[in-house]
Amino acid sequence: MFSFFLKKNFCDIWDNLFHTIIVNLLNVVVFAVAGFICIMSAYIPGGEVSLNVFSFLALLISSVLISIFTFAEGENALKIANFDSPKLSILFKNIVPCLKDGVLFGIFVAFVICIAFTSIPYYLRLGSVLGVFMMSIVFWIILITILSLQWFLPIRSIMHNNFLKCLKKCYIIFMDNVFFTIGVGLVNLVNLCVMIFSLGILNGPATMTITTTDALRLRLYKYDWYEVNPDLTKEQRADVPWKELLEKDRHILGPRGWKSFIFPWKE
């Protein structure tokens, strides 16, 4: 299943490369604004307490801005995952409807970042066994949260749940698909590296959104199969017939040899 996900994800990104580059360039502008806000917060006069407060507020505003703009691209990512064509007009049309969830998600992410950068160094400075133990607990909670939050946007796009339901389902999907979630996380880590080296042009939030949406859309076939077969035993539920479940998607995607990516007119 994972190999097909990698193939489909690559094809979806390649086939919509022009769209993703445009959206990633728009994201570069959003990131630049967010970076400017964070940098300016360091020059606000005042003591250490004032600096910490304004730094957190800058992080909060930046996180909210990035979240809203990323969420607005969610519908396009779903259209791409469904073998449909994205439209830039959909991105701009969805900015206002994404405000509520974007703000809530941005606040949540900002608090996670704040906890990570305050608690981990604090426990590390204790220099004791208890400090190391507490640091490891915080580290694993934050890592699980980061991996789980990959599913938030595709859950929202596919299931149209509210913020709390999306957040709850993020952790449920992670717990039920730990290795798959880690695999998708590694793919997004590669996307992040390419984003850094390409200055956000080739890869970016738009690319990662397609990746996670593709992954969840395919993974949900398992739960559709569970629903159709409610009397399966635990052993039977573990043996998911991915070949049958992915047959339609394989047929739509086609064989897609390397020539089709470089010389599509020769296919």
Side-chain angles (χ1 to χ4, degrees), residues 120-171:
I120 291 178
Y122 169 77
Y123 288 125
L124 190 61
R125 284 195 299 269
L126 291 179
S128 63
V129 176
L130 178 62
V132 173
F133 176 72
M134 292 301 297
M135 182 192 69
S136 64
I137 290 177
V138 173
F139 170 80
W140 284 111
I141 291 175
I142 290 173
L143 181 60
I144 290 172
T145 297
I146 292 172
L147 289 171
S148 300
L149 288 180
Q150 293 180 110
W151 302 124
F152 190 97
L153 180 51
I155 288 172
R156 182 182 182 275
S157 301
I158 297 172
M159 302 180 186
H160 306 288
N161 295 139
N162 61 36
F163 178 81
L164 289 178
K165 280 189 176 181
C166 287
L167 193 60
K168 179 182 177 181
K169 287 182 179 180
C170 283
Y171 289 96

Side-chain angles (χ1 to χ4, degrees), residues 23-24 26-27 30-31 62-77 91 94-95 98 102 105 149-150 152-154 156-157 204-210 212-213:
V23 176
N24 285 333
L26 293 173
N27 273 293
V30 175
F31 273 97
S62 301
S63 180
V64 167
L65 284 175
I66 294 170
S67 297
I68 291 172
F69 200 79
T70 304
F71 277 32
E73 179 63 7
E75 188 176 334
N76 273 328
L91 166 66
N94 283 336
I95 290 178
C98 291
F105 187 81
L149 288 180
Q150 293 180 110
F152 190 97
L153 180 51
R156 182 182 182 275
S157 301
T207 312
M208 297 180 193
T209 301
I210 294 172
T212 53
T213 305

Side-chain angles (χ1 to χ4, degrees), residues 1-17 20 77 80-81 83 180 183-184 186-191 203-218 249 253 256 261:
M1 183 270 176
F2 193 77
S3 60
F4 177 73
F5 153 67
L6 291 176
K7 179 180 178 180
K8 184 179 184 302
N9 182 60
F10 179 81
C11 292
D12 285 345
I13 293 171
W14 183 272
D15 292 344
N16 299 277
L17 190 60
T20 56
I80 291 171
F83 301 99
F180 182 71
V184 175
L186 291 175
V187 174
N188 273 329
L189 182 61
V190 173
N191 286 333
N203 270 21
T207 312
M208 297 180 193
T209 301
I210 294 172
T211 297
T212 53
T213 305
D214 259 332
L216 182 62
R217 178 185 171 276
L218 296 176
D249 285 80
L253 186 63
R256 299 300 299 268
F261 297 114

Side-chain angles (χ1 to χ4, degrees), residues 6-63:
L6 291 176
K7 179 180 178 180
K8 184 179 184 302
N9 182 60
F10 179 81
C11 292
D12 285 345
I13 293 171
W14 183 272
D15 292 344
N16 299 277
L17 190 60
F18 183 67
H19 173 82
T20 56
I21 287 176
I22 292 176
V23 176
N24 285 333
L25 285 172
L26 293 173
N27 273 293
V28 169
V29 176
V30 175
F31 273 97
V33 172
F36 176 77
I37 292 172
C38 291
I39 292 172
M40 291 305 296
S41 67
Y43 292 95
I44 295 176
E48 184 178 351
V49 175
S50 177
L51 177 63
N52 290 335
V53 170
F54 281 109
S55 295
F56 176 72
L57 288 175
L59 172 64
L60 193 64
I61 294 170
S62 301
S63 180

